[in-house]
Amino acid sequence: MQLHIKLVLGGTSLTIPSVVETPVTPPKLSVVPQPVHPQDLRIKNIRTLLDYPLDLVREWLQFQDVDRPSLLHITKINELVKTMCLAWAADKCEYPNHAESLYQNQVVDAVGLGADELTVINAWMQQLQATKAGAM
């Protein structure tokens, strides 16, 4: 398309090509997911398995003056895992020290020997549920 303009004063005409603007598409931004620290993923997976409230994890982390597990020493992370597990088990055993003893023997010891933590926690949970069901 061209635009034709007639200059009134000089009596000449001038043809100006019109500029057709092509829409500029913004460059596509690719979102590269940041890798999740293994300890953060560990806590997330265990919390999910136990159906432990995220707010309670956040509160626990705040008491440690951090906002994610990976900022903690491994002993504190292990303490958080134990806290979540024993909170889950609170209503599963008549005696709280029974749940803690089983946790130590079945979870901590097995993980120390190289067993998968989620698998042994799941087995521990099933045993506690079976014990509670048998007690009824």
Side-chain angles (χ1 to χ4, degrees):
M1 178 174 160
Q2 291 189 346
L3 183 60
H4 188 74
I5 299 176
K6 186 171 188 175
L7 296 176
V8 177
L9 294 176
T12 52
S13 61
L14 177 67
T15 303
I16 303 173
S18 65
V19 179
V20 176
E21 291 189 32
T22 55
V24 177
T25 55
K28 291 185 179 184
L29 299 176
S30 61
V31 177
V32 179
Q34 296 300 314
V36 177
H37 191 280
Q39 296 303 339
D40 294 342
L41 187 58
R42 174 186 176 202
I43 296 300
K44 178 183 178 188
N45 289 338
I46 293 169
R47 185 191 68 73
T48 302
L49 175 66
L50 297 167
D51 194 26
Y52 192 81
L54 180 58
D55 289 347
L56 293 179
V57 172
R58 287 182 177 145
E59 184 178 308
W60 193 93
L61 292 170
Q62 284 178 339
F63 281 118
Q64 307 301 318
D65 292 324
V66 297
D67 63 351
R68 60 186 177 275
S70 57
L71 298 175
L72 293 170
H73 187 273
I74 189 68
T75 57
K76 287 291 187 183
I77 295 172
N78 292 340
E79 184 182 320
L80 173 57
V81 170
K82 182 177 179 179
T83 298
M84 290 190 298
C85 287
L86 294 181
W88 176 88
D91 64 344
K92 310 294 187 285
C93 291
E94 189 175 343
Y95 304 104
N97 60 344
H98 179 69
E100 188 170 355
S101 176
L102 285 176
Y103 175 82
Q104 180 65 43
N105 294 334
Q106 293 183 4
V107 177
V108 176
D109 293 349
V111 170
L113 294 173
D116 177 68
E117 188 172 36
L118 287 174
T119 302
V120 294
I121 289 174
N122 194 23
W124 171 79
M125 292 168 69
Q126 289 176 7
Q127 182 176 357
L128 289 179
Q129 288 173 325
T131 303
K132 181 179 181 181
M136 294 182 156

